[in-house]
Amino acid sequence: MSKEVQKEKSMILQKEMIEGLFNDLSTAKETGKKVCYTFVPGNLSELIRTFDMLPVYPEINALQSAMRKKSAAYIKEAERHAHSEDVCTYVKCDVGMMMKGNIGPTGQVIPEPDILLLSYTGCFTFMKWFETLKREYPNAKVIMIHTPYQENGRITPEMLEYMIEQLKVEVIPQMEAVTGIKFDEGKLKRILALSKEAEDWITKIFDTTKNKPSPIDAYFAGVYYIGPINIGFRGTQEAVEYYKELYSEIQERVRLGLGPITPEGEMKEEKYRLVVEGPPNWTNFREFWKIFYDMGAVIVASSYTKVGGVYDLGWRHDPDRPLESLAEYCMNCYTNMNIPQRIDLLSKYIRDYDADGYITNSIKSCNSFSAGQLAMMREIEDRMEVPVGFIESDLVDPRYFSYSNIKNRLESYFQMLEQRKIIHSTEKVLAHE
Amino acid sequence: MAKSLQKVNCAEKSKKLVIARMNNINVIIQTCKELSFDLDFNYAKQWKSAKEGRVIVGYLPIYFPREIIHAAGGIAVGIFGGGDRKQIVKGDAYYQSYICHIPRSVIELALDKQLDHFDGFIFPSICDVIRNLSGIFKQKGIGKFVKYMDFPQNFLPEIGGVYYQQEMLHILQYMKEINGVEVTTERLNHAIQLYNRNRQLIKFMYDIRQEYPWRLSIEDVYHIIRAGTVMPVEEHNELLEQVCEHIQNDIGKPQDKVKVVVSGAFCEQPAVGLIKAIEEAGCYVVDDDYMLGSRMILGDIDDSTDKPLEAIANAYIRQSQYSSSIYDVNDPKEFRLAQIVKDRGAAGVIFASASFCDPSLLDAPIFQNAFNKMGIRYIAFQYSENINQFKVIKEQVGAFSDSIKLWEDEPAELLVQMTQ
């Protein structure tokens, strides 16, 4: 395998898009663009774009900091200021980064927010996070939109109405006040049409893992694929073009019968097909991924890539129902689904993508994902009769990534999968005889 | 008063209900102690079995409008975990080591069938852990209904208030499916009246303690309030009336202790030994958030409207105590707590957070940074409901108390200004 990271055209396109955004952010104060901090789950990118604002995603900054090995220092800085060791490390990384000058992943300063758009979707910590940031940025306007949880496994008319009213009465008027731009529904509709197009493409992309071998890794590479759709490019022609290009590259891999591209080149043999629940570890992302591809394990579906929207269940932004569709989007994100819904979705993935096993990566500082994962795992094991595995790490705190522990556990797990394959093939032979 | 209480109990024909025999404060306190930590919830179960159509609805911290369950012919019973009275065997298999303790003891109670007489369960929106616990209850089919109650984080009565009313109607529909009771305006207003009285009496108890904390220990206060979450409000009110009457007398002797406020222990409860240890270590706890739900609404809810659900919703929106689970940007919590410190004449704050409690721990820097600027003294520690070794904490609290008593003649400058 080549040690060089292979760059495909889609990768270059994505890099250009992200660099463009950070360039725009670095000059926002000069160009007069308003800056809106918000979160990935339930992000109202289309609305932000309708008001010509530039988005900043603190959790994306945090994970980028971790990948650049800067998160440890940021976390320590936050802990020096009374932040507990036991809470979300995204929050601490973000706060620490702010305390140390708010230098973003491209080395440019990220401007202070004009708006803190708190689309409170699927994660309680988001609320505390922006309460904290409000104290740090007293001049920023905090706009809260409370997204009701799908506690009963569905969106009720009351939930929808509640959100639409918040959009109409609270969110939009406050955005108008801060930006000085009048809300243009026609513009929002045009943006939503492009969102829908990008959502169609990304659904097709994640569906290609039905092929054997799977042409992509839907977790480790998947986190790159969801970048543009989750961090402010949804609703742009650029995003549509990116996903078209990506799909075409993947289709070519399918045609050639190739497996996923890894940081060390193409994965030659697909031995195990897995479904993963939970976010990845970002501090040791490459090492973490390597354990899998070295063992011939490919992730065919993951819940983490659905935090910004579960499009594979058929839902799309709808330009004919602009506010309804924004409301539904927020409520449809993965972590806003209840535990039985999550179990059903993961079981569906195991079935639809013909997975050999199911792994939980339990993240210490993310209770939204982690609380309940053990019960989910047991239910999935019973229901789907696949071997399940469990590992623990953290989002961006390197103190909680233990390479040898994780490797040992995964090696044992892969041995179990291997054993099971042998038993199955023996049973098949015996049945045939 | 005692006669009317006896009447209630006679009507219930529940021999084990012992409140009628509470002829002195010690009996009341002892009974409350037992009821608070009866993890089989026998009192509520006996209440239910005494009459056809009665319903038990369990609710987790922090707050739940118990009035609506009362109006629907039920009793809302607080489930505050197993404390240090429940050995966890199965619960640990449900939760990773880095998740707080209360969900594992609650699931343990359910798996051990100690919640079998409960008809439904309410999981108020406190944090992601309690939210996801509601999903586990749903998945396991525990109870006739499981409701994650999404309290509004929008505080406009016409938006958040309306949504809150819909959430309450959802619960009332579940209740009706169980016992067929159609809730009326009269029933709701009557329930509101009873709980208003309950809150008034609890407030009175705290107000007396503010001046005379030696008359009733915080441990006793805790047991008395917690017992109210497992018994009918009518009986609790009777009991509180007696306690309030008693503590108006000049009883006990003041000790050389400093007045403090405890904050952060609103969900998973500290072991009683810890609650006791804080006072033993040299403090009088003149306010706290241990049983915040019973004190969440400040003042009365209007009990005379023809829209009682709206009255309950508006009271939550307009007159709630601050809480780590309520979005606070328009009403910052650090100033709310500072006001409590001022009003109670406290010399400092003890931040007690359950280990791994997101709401409490994420608020810690907000409080502490603000209090550093305001000059309000504080200490902070963490606990777990099942830990009953408090030596280190007791030493920490003792040092805190001593530092105020011995080395500072006057409270911090700003606090003096605030308390004047």
Side-chain angles (χ1 to χ4, degrees):
Chain A
M1 283 190 207
S2 158
K3 294 288 175 189
E4 289 299 312
V5 176
Q6 296 181 10
K7 293 266 184 207
E8 299 211 344
K9 189 181 169 192
S10 62
M11 294 179 185
I12 295 162
L13 278 177
Q14 180 173 155
K15 192 165 181 276
E16 286 170 0
M17 289 159 79
I18 291 170
E19 276 176 1
L21 172 62
F22 280 99
N23 282 337
D24 288 347
L25 281 168
S26 68
T27 57
K29 297 302 168 194
E30 293 84 68
T31 57
K33 289 253 185 190
K34 299 295 179 189
V35 175
C36 178
Y37 286 23
T38 194
F39 297 110
V40 168
N43 70 80
L44 295 169
S45 291
E46 293 81 1
L47 209 49
I48 294 170
R49 199 161 277 282
T50 302
F51 285 97
D52 289 338
M53 290 188 282
L54 295 170
V56 171
Y57 296 87
E59 75 265 53
I60 300 294
N61 291 339
L63 73 88
Q64 295 267 13
S65 296
M67 292 177 103
R68 292 180 300 124
K69 308 289 179 197
K70 291 183 179 294
S71 57
Y74 293 156
I75 289 167
K76 272 183 196 157
E77 184 67 19
E79 287 177 358
R80 282 182 49 227
H81 289 84
H83 287 261
S84 165
E85 223 178 271
D86 295 324
V87 297
C88 174
T89 50
Y90 273 170
V91 178
K92 287 187 287 184
C93 186
D94 181 46
V95 168
M97 185 175 106
M98 183 199 64
M99 288 170 172
K100 284 179 171 280
N102 224 21
I103 309 295
T106 56
Q108 295 155 300
V109 174
I110 295 177
E112 291 195 4
D114 298 291
I115 287 178
L116 295 163
L117 176 59
L118 174 48
S119 55
Y120 175 44
T121 295
C123 169
F124 174 84
T125 297
F126 286 156
M127 189 175 86
K128 311 308 292 176
W129 193 338
F130 272 12
E131 283 180 359
T132 301
L133 287 196
K134 173 62 183 170
R135 271 86 176 170
E136 303 295 337
Y137 299 117
N139 297 325
K141 178 83 189 163
V142 189
I143 305 176
M144 153 68 113
I145 179 163
H146 174 203
T147 302
Y149 184 61
Q150 288 200 46
E151 63 99 15
N152 223 7
R154 64 194 176 93
I155 296 170
T156 64
E158 293 82 15
M159 289 158 72
L160 191 60
E161 189 56 29
Y162 177 43
M163 289 213 66
I164 292 169
E165 282 302 300
Q166 290 181 81
L167 286 166
K168 281 183 184 167
V169 178
E170 300 263 46
V171 179
I172 290 174
Q174 292 185 78
M175 284 186 167
E176 286 180 325
V178 172
T179 60
I181 295 170
K182 192 160 172 46
F183 174 57
D184 178 350
E185 192 180 78
K187 185 176 178 185
L188 175 62
K189 286 181 172 183
R190 290 191 293 279
I191 293 171
L192 289 170
L194 289 168
S195 292
K196 180 183 177 302
E197 216 178 317
E199 288 156 4
D200 286 340
W201 284 111
I202 200 164
T203 306
K204 282 175 153 186
I205 286 164
F206 280 122
D207 218 34
T208 61
T209 59
K210 282 180 178 161
N211 290 284
K212 289 185 182 177
S214 170
I216 59 169
D217 187 293
Y219 185 54
F220 293 106
V223 300
Y224 291 101
Y225 302 156
I226 59 174
I229 207 163
N230 280 353
I231 60 164
F233 294 98
R234 202 178 57 230
T236 65
Q237 191 61 44
E238 284 169 288
V240 172
E241 295 308 321
Y242 164 77
Y243 285 112
K244 267 187 192 172
E245 174 59 32
L246 178 60
Y247 183 67
S248 135
E249 288 166 6
I250 295 169
Q251 282 303 97
E252 180 62 7
R253 301 189 68 74
V254 172
R255 193 182 68 78
L256 297 171
L258 299 175
I261 298 173
T262 74
E264 294 183 85
E266 185 191 306
M267 200 173 102
K268 296 296 179 197
E269 187 192 4
E270 175 185 289
K271 288 176 75 178
Y272 313 112
R273 298 165 63 83
L274 303 175
V275 168
V276 171
E277 151 72 11
N281 163 269
W282 299 109
T283 57
N284 299 66
F285 186 80
R286 289 275 175 92
E287 283 173 89
F288 189 35
W289 187 357
K290 186 171 164 52
I291 301 173
F292 285 83
Y293 64 72
D294 277 353
M295 299 300 296
V298 61
I299 313 305
V300 290
S302 70
S303 56
Y304 178 70
T305 49
K306 309 300 157 64
V307 287
V310 187
Y311 305 115
D312 41 344
L313 294 182
W315 185 87
R316 296 287 182 277
H317 279 98
D318 181 356
D320 295 330
R321 303 164 56 249
L323 297 189
E324 290 86 341
S325 135
L326 290 177
E328 285 170 356
Y329 165 73
C330 291
M331 290 187 278
N332 264 323
C333 291
Y334 178 74
T335 47
N336 204 53
M337 294 163 74
N338 75 6
I339 296 286
Q341 282 177 296
R342 284 169 64 179
I343 292 170
D344 289 345
L345 185 68
L346 289 159
S347 300
K348 179 180 178 322
Y349 287 162
I350 292 169
R351 193 169 45 247
D352 290 356
Y353 298 101
D354 196 18
D356 302 307
Y358 169 85
I359 285 198
T360 300
N361 181 34
S362 181
I363 292 292
K364 176 182 183 282
S365 64
C366 183
N367 286 336
S368 177
F369 261 104
S370 302
Q373 277 178 331
L374 289 164
M376 287 168 63
M377 192 173 73
R378 268 197 297 278
E379 175 63 27
I380 287 168
E381 186 178 28
D382 289 347
R383 193 187 291 186
M384 304 308 295
E385 296 181 340
V386 292
V388 297
F390 186 83
I391 49 177
E392 290 179 301
S393 63
D394 189 53
L395 293 166
V396 295
D397 191 338
R399 293 173 294 188
Y400 298 104
F401 183 84
S402 169
Y403 177 78
S404 49
N405 277 348
I406 289 173
K407 191 161 190 290
N408 283 345
R409 278 204 189 188
L410 284 173
E411 280 176 353
S412 304
Y413 179 70
F414 291 131
Q415 281 170 16
M416 184 166 69
L417 285 180
E418 189 58 36
Q419 201 63 30
R420 188 180 156 97
K421 282 200 166 187
I422 292 166
I423 292 167
H424 276 193
S425 56
T426 312
E427 282 171 354
K428 270 186 192 169
V429 171
L430 290 173
H432 188 67
E433 284 171 354
Chain B
M1 189 192 307
K3 276 181 188 171
S4 64
L5 181 58
Q6 281 175 352
K7 266 185 206 169
V8 171
N9 287 335
C10 289
E12 304 296 346
K13 294 184 189 302
S14 179
K15 290 175 187 172
K16 289 186 181 177
L17 303 186
V18 294
I19 288 181
R21 285 187 270 118
M22 290 179 183
N23 52 7
N24 65 54
I25 195 77
N26 292 332
V27 177
I28 289 177
I29 290 168
Q30 186 54 37
T31 305
C32 288
K33 260 186 184 179
E34 288 161 15
L35 291 179
S36 303
F37 284 92
D38 173 9
L39 298 180
D40 291 310
F41 302 93
N42 286 310
Y43 202 91
K45 286 174 189 170
Q46 284 160 14
W47 176 86
K48 179 184 174 182
S49 60
K51 195 174 172 186
E52 187 84 8
R54 287 182 168 178
V55 175
I56 302 181
V57 177
Y59 69 96
L60 276 84
I62 303 173
Y63 167 71
F64 172 68
R66 292 178 285 172
E67 290 87 341
I68 64 168
I69 300 298
H70 185 284
I75 180 173
V77 171
I79 301 172
F80 297 99
D84 57 353
R85 323 286 169 99
K86 178 79 185 161
Q87 192 184 355
I88 305 303
V89 178
K90 299 175 274 287
D92 282 340
Y94 280 78
Y95 287 97
Q96 298 90 320
S97 57
Y98 49 77
I99 288 176
C100 59
H101 203 269
I102 186 171
R104 57 193 91 220
S105 66
V106 171
I107 199 83
E108 188 90 17
L109 288 171
L111 295 174
D112 283 351
K113 303 189 180 303
Q114 287 169 276
L115 305 178
D116 273 7
H117 287 72
F118 286 65
D119 297 279
F121 297 92
I122 308 285
F123 294 81
S125 48
I126 311 169
C127 68
D128 295 330
V129 172
I130 297 298
R131 183 196 69 186
N132 288 3
L133 179 60
S134 75
I136 295 177
F137 267 57
K138 264 188 201 292
Q139 186 64 36
K140 298 188 85 65
I142 300 169
K144 295 186 182 87
F145 72 87
V146 173
K147 169 76 181 161
Y148 172 74
M149 189 158 179
D150 224 341
F151 281 87
Q153 299 289 2
N154 174 287
F155 303 108
L156 293 177
E158 65 275 22
I159 300 179
V162 168
Y163 180 70
Y164 184 18
Q165 289 177 59
Q166 288 159 350
E167 286 287 275
M168 288 189 277
L169 284 169
H170 191 179
I171 292 167
L172 290 176
Q173 183 58 36
Y174 281 135
M175 293 292 288
K176 192 178 168 191
E177 284 164 15
I178 295 171
N179 66 2
V181 171
E182 188 80 58
V183 167
T184 62
T185 301
E186 290 70 31
R187 289 178 76 115
L188 277 164
N189 276 334
H190 175 62
I192 291 171
Q193 208 169 41
L194 289 168
Y195 279 97
N196 278 345
R197 184 64 185 149
N198 194 261
R199 285 183 286 263
Q200 287 163 10
L201 290 164
I202 292 173
K203 181 178 183 303
F204 183 81
M205 195 162 59
Y206 273 84
D207 288 348
I208 290 280
R209 284 196 80 255
Q210 178 184 324
E211 297 301 323
Y212 313 103
W214 51 87
R215 290 186 184 174
L216 192 66
S217 71
I218 193 66
E219 178 198 2
D220 292 341
V221 170
Y222 179 77
H223 283 131
I224 290 164
I225 298 176
R226 183 158 169 169
T229 67
V230 297
M231 64 167 61
V233 63
E234 295 88 342
E235 293 178 29
H236 194 233
N237 284 352
E238 291 283 352
L239 181 155
L240 284 168
E241 299 271 8
Q242 294 183 56
V243 172
C244 289
E245 199 175 297
H246 176 75
I247 60 174
Q248 288 179 69
N249 297 317
D250 185 13
I251 49 173
K253 283 183 184 170
Q255 294 178 2
D256 183 23
K257 295 182 180 183
V258 296
K259 290 181 185 175
V260 296
V261 173
V262 173
S263 177
F266 43 77
C267 179
E268 180 176 320
Q269 299 290 290
V272 172
L274 175 54
I275 292 172
K276 199 174 164 183
I278 292 173
E279 287 209 328
E280 284 174 352
C283 295
Y284 281 130
V285 177
V286 289
D287 214 322
D288 62 77
D289 57 7
Y290 296 137
M291 300 298 297
L292 180 57
S294 300
R295 307 171 64 209
M296 180 63 105
I297 303 299
L298 304 173
D300 287 348
I301 300 175
D302 191 345
D303 62 1
S304 62
T305 74
D306 56 359
K307 292 178 180 170
L309 290 182
E310 185 179 282
I312 293 171
N314 287 347
Y316 177 78
I317 284 172
R318 293 177 177 143
Q319 54 192 84
S320 280
Q321 183 55 278
Y322 81 87
S323 155
S324 292
S325 293
I326 299 177
Y327 171 65
D328 84 333
V329 161
N330 298 318
D331 191 7
K333 58 180 82 72
E334 57 271 40
F335 299 108
R336 301 280 304 270
L337 179 55
Q339 189 64 42
I340 292 173
V341 173
K342 175 192 168 189
D343 292 345
R344 294 293 186 201
V349 175
I350 294 178
F351 290 108
S353 303
S355 296
F356 305 107
C357 172
D358 276 344
S360 188
L361 293 172
L362 285 161
D363 270 349
I366 292 175
F367 279 123
Q368 294 176 22
N369 291 335
F371 282 17
N372 287 342
K373 288 177 192 157
M374 292 182 203
I376 298 176
R377 287 174 291 249
Y378 63 85
I379 53 166
F381 59 76
Q382 293 180 35
Y383 63 86
S384 180
E385 62 171 358
N386 63 329
I387 301 295
N388 51 17
Q389 297 295 323
F390 318 113
K391 193 169 177 290
V392 175
I393 291 175
K394 209 169 170 178
E395 282 169 6
Q396 192 183 351
V397 173
F400 180 58
S401 155
D402 288 345
S403 70
I404 293 171
K405 282 187 294 193
L406 302 177
W407 288 293
E408 294 193 35
D409 296 332
E410 300 293 333
E413 190 181 335
L414 196 85
L415 201 61
V416 171
Q417 289 165 11
M418 290 175 71
T419 51
Q420 279 170 349

